[in-house]
Amino acid sequence: MPELRVEALTHVYSAGTPFQKTAIENITLSIPQGQMVGLLGHTGSGKSTFIQHLNALLQPTSGKVTYDGRDINADKYTRRDIKGQVGLVFQYPEYQLFEETVYKDIAFGPKNQRLSEAEVDERVREAADFVGVKEKYFTRSPLEISGGQKRRVAIAGVIAMRPGVLILDEPTAGLDPAGCRQILDNIRNYRDKTGSTVILVSHNMDDAARMAERLIVFDHGHVAMDGTPEEVFSRPEELIAIGLNVPHAAAIAMALRKRGVQLEGSIYTHEQLKAAVCRAKEAGVC
Amino acid sequence: MLKDITLGQYFPGDTVVHRLDPRTKIVLLIVYIVALFQAVSWWSYALVAFVTVLAMILGHITPKNIFKGLKPMLFIIALTALLNVFYTKGTPVVEGWIITWEGIGRSAQMILRIVLLIAGTFLLTYTTSPIALTDGLEKLLNPLKKLKVPVHEMTLMMSMALRFIPTLIEETDKIMSAQKARGADFETGSLMQRAKALLPILVPLFVSAFRRADELAVAMESRCYHGGEGRTRMKQMKLQGIDYAAFALGALFLAAVIVLRHFGL
């Protein structure tokens, strides 16, 4: 199984100038294939810098990133190949759409991979299907469709390269609740069907709680916490000290416990909260 | 990589030079350039250089700042110097050589002239915020309004352009990264291929520039902007004692250079 490994990764911006700034420092972690990871951290915590190292957009000042045992920065060919294996969807990806039609825009990635016409066509249809972009949109201009549709086309443009690791930076930012749900469902569906690793960068704790199997919390360029949602959300004080939040359900559970309601188990999703409150009610503790 | 471009960057400060009225500084820059082109001998160059260094000291601008700005001009400076070395007639350095003593002297003066010219311009932009600069320009060009020249509109466009250069650079950087993540290749291939590869950057950049322009227009309109007619300013520009003193010094400086030239020095 391929694995994404990061060893002692450090990145310093504008090294040697007065504007020198260490964005991330000495980060070591590994992400096994197929894991759904939530990457949390406030603005400027280094998470954007970190994810740009995972597909060799940024080169480390020191340290190493390997995928499937290969150093991704070995030479310019691996640096190019890795872009197709580790797909990165930037924040507000709809601003990168440029082609005349939706179809051509989704095909941009696979075409850069020098695939045959037939292969490109297959990838485009598959990717569009994953994000729920219907065929009737293929001939439309990507600039005249709705905001949510644009976002999905842009994500499809990265999925079309069939990356083994899909990284999404705030994929739901600026979307309405229905749009958010849809995108998150699409992403989960993609992971389940292809077995890809998914790294979800988010501010939204509820999204992270609902989606991720593992949470990595960044703070000032370091990994502050790394564990399952249960482990991470069981330390709400630390999260708040970092400047993050806890999921609504966890906050409610915390408030209830403070008032003497005995709720069992770790609670960070709405379902868990509901179940725990029901159990407490049956037991007659409130 | 795009962030390294310095475009007349402003260094905030509170020195005499910073406090001068922007109009004064613009006029003095013109005086300075005229004086620089009047300089013919080493003496007059020395005087101009002295004034430049004095202004730099007063404005707390270090030579390092100036040289950072000079970097992109190095090629032009080198080319000018080379041409002057080879194309000036006079006594050869070594018998039979094309290089002459006069040529060397002349190319040294040319280098000095360009460096001083750039240094003077940088002194203005380093010590004057872009807003103050365009305000000053508008005031100076005010008489042209009588000739139906849209001075206010022009200077407004200028300050907006200055304001949006960093934003657009950042945006270009972002779009480039996003397209690289989709496997776009900007570094290899023939000239034609590379020109084509720019399309995925330029289209989104233009789209977003238009969107920004649109948003800016709406934001201005919703704050009742209706052109320069009858518009008042929060910061009124007023010439003060130091401005008059600076004018006097500027006039003296120009006179000195012209006198030196008159005596062939």
Side-chain angles (χ1 to χ4, degrees):
Chain A
M1 278 294 235
E3 178 192 43
L4 191 63
R5 282 188 66 85
V6 177
E7 288 163 37
L9 184 69
T10 298
H11 190 86
V12 182
Y13 281 113
S14 321
T17 72
F19 305 105
Q20 177 166 333
K21 191 177 171 287
T22 306
I24 46 175
E25 202 174 5
N26 202 15
I27 288 178
T28 300
L29 49 88
S30 83
I31 297 170
Q33 188 64 28
Q35 203 168 43
M36 175 84 88
V37 181
L39 202 63
L40 307 175
H42 57 83
T43 333
S45 59
K47 47 185 188 355
S48 291
T49 308
F50 177 70
I51 56 172
Q52 288 185 53
H53 278 90
L54 301 183
N55 73 345
L57 270 180
L58 287 177
Q59 269 83 60
T61 307
S62 68
K64 206 161 87 170
V65 181
T66 61
Y67 182 61
D68 204 4
R70 275 198 315 164
D71 182 354
I72 67 167
N73 285 304
D75 54 52
K76 73 177 191 190
Y77 301 105
T78 53
R79 270 208 293 274
R80 194 167 70 199
D81 287 349
I82 197 68
K83 307 262 178 356
Q85 289 160 12
V86 179
L88 175 56
V89 181
F90 276 86
Q91 212 169 2
Y92 298 109
E94 55 272 30
Y95 293 148
Q96 75 198 20
L97 300 173
F98 70 98
E99 276 285 11
E100 296 153 53
T101 66
V102 166
Y103 182 92
K104 279 189 184 172
D105 210 292
I106 300 177
F108 182 65
K111 269 202 180 134
N112 283 329
Q113 289 177 301
R114 319 250 153 97
L115 298 171
S116 69
E117 199 79 10
E119 183 95 1
V120 170
D121 186 67
E122 189 196 322
R123 299 261 187 120
V124 171
R125 282 168 202 285
E126 179 193 277
D129 193 41
F130 269 126
V131 296
V133 171
K134 299 211 176 60
E135 225 182 294
K136 64 174 183 188
Y137 283 102
F138 281 3
T139 52
R140 302 267 295 269
S141 159
L143 303 177
E144 61 182 21
I145 54 181
S146 77
Q149 290 281 7
K150 277 186 197 172
R151 178 79 50 98
R152 275 184 275 166
V153 169
I155 294 175
V158 174
I159 286 180
M161 297 194 292
R162 277 198 194 146
V165 179
L166 181 65
I167 308 171
L168 302 110
D169 192 352
E170 299 273 2
T172 58
L175 291 184
D176 56 67
C180 290
R181 252 198 315 276
Q182 220 161 6
I183 293 240
L184 293 180
D185 285 346
N186 293 152
I187 293 167
R188 204 196 322 253
N189 183 29
Y190 175 75
R191 203 278 303 251
D192 292 346
K193 285 221 176 107
T194 62
S196 294
T197 308
V198 173
I199 301 175
L200 199 67
V201 179
S202 183
H203 273 119
N204 188 323
M205 295 298 139
D206 286 290
D207 285 354
R210 214 167 45 221
M211 297 280 291
E213 315 166 310
R214 172 181 175 190
L215 291 178
I216 300 172
V217 182
F218 269 67
D219 184 34
H220 289 107
H222 295 274
V223 174
M225 291 186 224
D226 182 355
T228 61
E230 281 102 29
E231 286 163 0
V232 170
F233 289 133
S234 66
R235 291 145 72 187
E237 292 83 8
E238 277 171 71
L239 279 173
I240 290 165
I242 289 171
L244 292 172
N245 242 325
V246 289
H248 290 138
I252 294 170
M254 220 161 75
L256 283 173
R257 278 178 181 140
K258 236 181 217 156
R259 296 185 168 217
V261 182
Q262 277 152 14
L263 298 175
E264 290 161 18
S266 61
I267 297 164
Y268 54 89
T269 66
H270 295 135
E271 290 74 27
Q272 289 166 339
L273 179 67
K274 195 172 142 199
V277 170
C278 285
R279 268 201 309 274
K281 211 156 184 178
E282 273 163 30
V285 284
C286 66
Chain B
M1 88 192 165
L2 287 167
K3 279 185 194 129
D4 300 334
I5 301 170
T6 45
L7 273 161
Q9 202 180 13
Y10 169 57
F11 291 110
D14 190 32
T15 67
V16 186
V17 185
H18 283 86
R19 277 201 302 274
L20 279 178
D21 191 284
R23 285 170 294 175
T24 314
K25 281 189 269 192
I26 295 169
V27 170
L28 283 180
L29 179 66
I30 296 168
V31 168
Y32 174 85
I33 292 171
V34 171
L36 182 59
F37 281 89
Q38 293 299 317
V40 281
S41 67
W42 287 110
W43 287 109
S44 35
Y45 271 111
L47 178 65
V48 179
F50 171 73
V51 168
T52 316
V53 172
L54 193 72
M56 275 167 61
I57 294 169
L58 284 174
H60 291 304
I61 301 296
T62 60
K64 214 171 125 193
N65 296 141
I66 300 279
F67 281 116
K68 217 177 97 196
L70 273 176
K71 249 190 224 155
M73 308 292 291
L74 277 181
F75 175 72
I76 294 172
I77 296 174
L79 191 73
T80 320
L82 265 179
L83 287 177
N84 275 296
V85 163
F86 286 113
Y87 286 97
T88 311
K89 292 198 163 56
T91 37
V93 177
V94 175
E95 201 57 50
W97 272 25
I98 206 170
I99 300 169
T100 59
W101 287 114
E102 283 81 358
I104 291 173
R106 217 175 129 163
S107 77
Q109 282 188 350
M110 282 316 272
I111 293 173
L112 201 60
R113 182 179 279 182
I114 298 175
V115 169
L116 287 174
L117 186 68
I118 295 168
T121 325
F122 280 168
L123 261 168
L124 175 69
T125 55
Y126 280 166
T127 60
T128 321
S129 74
I131 298 289
L133 206 58
T134 45
D135 277 357
L137 211 57
E138 186 182 348
K139 266 275 166 74
L140 277 177
L141 296 177
N142 238 345
L144 290 180
K145 273 186 190 161
K146 294 252 159 34
L147 301 173
K148 299 247 188 291
V149 178
V151 173
H152 172 78
E153 284 73 13
M154 273 159 55
T155 51
L156 183 75
M157 266 159 59
M158 217 171 98
S159 50
M160 275 190 211
L162 283 172
R163 159 66 185 75
F164 278 100
I165 284 171
T167 314
L168 287 180
I169 288 177
E170 206 176 291
E171 188 112 2
T172 313
D173 230 17
K174 243 191 238 159
I175 295 170
M176 263 174 98
S177 299
Q179 306 298 24
K180 270 193 207 157
R182 295 211 279 166
D185 184 1
F186 305 120
E187 275 119 37
T188 56
S190 66
L191 201 66
M192 202 52 205
Q193 278 170 322
R194 270 197 245 186
K196 256 194 178 156
L198 285 180
L199 207 67
I201 302 175
L202 291 180
V203 173
L205 192 64
F206 270 92
V207 170
S208 95
F210 279 118
R211 185 172 42 85
R212 270 177 207 289
D214 210 32
E215 281 168 7
L216 187 66
V218 171
M220 283 166 75
E221 249 187 275
S222 54
R223 289 203 268 166
C224 301
Y225 178 79
H226 52 78
E229 200 70 31
R231 194 172 163 78
T232 55
R233 301 192 169 280
M234 187 174 83
K235 284 185 185 151
Q236 292 286 345
M237 276 186 286
K238 228 173 159 185
L239 294 180
Q240 286 159 335
I242 49 167
D243 293 305
Y244 293 116
F247 279 134
L249 281 172
L252 211 63
F253 166 58
L254 184 60
V257 175
I258 290 172
V259 167
L260 277 173
R261 185 190 170 91
H262 185 74
F263 288 108
L265 284 171

